[in-house]
């Protein structure tokens, strides 16, 4: 049953057996499309850098609870890591429209453009990220990479 698989997953998760927990969360998710399970699965997929499946589960999460800022944020991150700047921005804009205190993670918009070798907008969003978060070393690393790519092109 659904609750059995959720309970087994919770026990595994608490004992640090993440893969076993994941398997039971997956079964529970298939039995009943529930938002908390979708978010747990998405967290797992993101931690495993499996952004394709994270996107699929998060699309279900957004369908279940379109007002949930966290689901739109995580879906934006998944789209960014898949190199889709248009959908990345759509999800972050949706999160911002739901919560005016939401801080758009510009670094992910930059990453989405960078993955497409679209360096000008990537650079813009990495710089924008550094303005709001000057210690973000990842944004600095991407800006250095853009600088190296441009040096090679000249």
């Amino acid at each position: 049953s659904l609750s059995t698989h959720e309970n087994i997953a919770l026990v595994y998760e608490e004992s640090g057996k993440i893969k076993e927990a994941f398997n039971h969360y997956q079964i529970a998710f298939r039995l009943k499309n529930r938002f908390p399970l979708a978010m747990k699965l998405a967290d797992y997929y993101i931690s495993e850098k499996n952004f394709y499946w994270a996107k699929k589960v998060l699309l279900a999460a957004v369908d279940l609870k379109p007002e949930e800022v966290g689901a739109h944020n995580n879906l934006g991150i998944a789209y960014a890591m898949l190199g889709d700047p248009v959908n990345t921005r759509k999800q972050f804009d949706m999160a911002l429209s739901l919560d005016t205190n939401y801080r758009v993670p510009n670094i992910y918009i930059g990453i989405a453009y960078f993955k497409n070798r679209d360096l000008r907008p990537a650079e813009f969003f990495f710089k924008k990220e550094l303005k709001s978060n000057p210690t973000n070393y990842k944004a600095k690393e991407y800006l250095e990479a853009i600088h190296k790519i441009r040096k090679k092109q000249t």
Side-chain angles (χ1 to χ4, degrees), residues 4-152:
T4 303
H5 284 288
E6 282 183 280
N7 291 336
I8 293 169
L10 205 55
V11 170
Y12 276 131
E13 189 174 12
E14 287 170 355
S15 66
K17 295 180 177 176
I18 303 302
K19 282 213 187 297
E20 291 87 347
F22 167 73
N23 290 333
H24 285 279
Y25 280 133
Q26 237 182 352
I27 293 165
F29 182 73
R30 279 192 216 107
L31 290 172
K32 187 170 183 187
N33 223 5
R34 297 214 355 232
F35 182 79
L37 293 173
M39 294 302 285
K40 276 200 182 279
L41 284 172
D43 286 345
Y44 174 80
Y45 284 131
I46 287 171
S47 74
E48 293 292 310
K49 299 188 180 342
N50 188 337
F51 301 106
Y52 173 80
W53 282 104
K55 178 190 86 174
K56 286 204 165 286
V57 171
L58 286 161
L59 285 168
V62 165
D63 279 346
L64 290 165
K65 278 197 174 179
E67 75 285 356
E68 185 63 42
V69 174
H72 289 285
N73 178 72
N74 291 355
L75 184 53
I77 290 170
Y79 276 127
M81 300 313 285
L82 292 169
D84 183 343
V86 172
N87 282 311
T88 299
R89 293 180 77 173
K90 278 183 188 173
Q91 291 306 315
F92 292 156
D93 287 347
M94 179 60 75
L96 186 60
S97 74
L98 292 168
D99 179 1
T100 54
N101 294 321
Y102 172 76
R103 190 183 79 75
V104 174
N106 289 298
I107 188 162
Y108 287 108
I109 301 172
I111 289 170
Y113 281 113
F114 185 85
K115 285 181 174 278
N116 284 309
R117 292 284 186 228
D118 201 348
L119 300 183
R120 183 170 286 152
E123 181 179 39
F124 170 82
F125 284 102
F126 292 134
K127 285 180 176 176
K128 194 171 179 181
E129 175 69 22
L130 283 174
K131 276 184 184 166
S132 63
N133 186 3
T135 59
N136 190 326
Y137 75 94
K138 270 279 191 225
K140 290 177 185 174
E141 285 178 1
Y142 275 106
L143 284 171
E144 287 170 17
I146 289 170
H147 183 69
K148 285 178 184 172
I149 291 168
R150 286 190 175 142
K151 254 188 173 174
K152 284 181 184 173

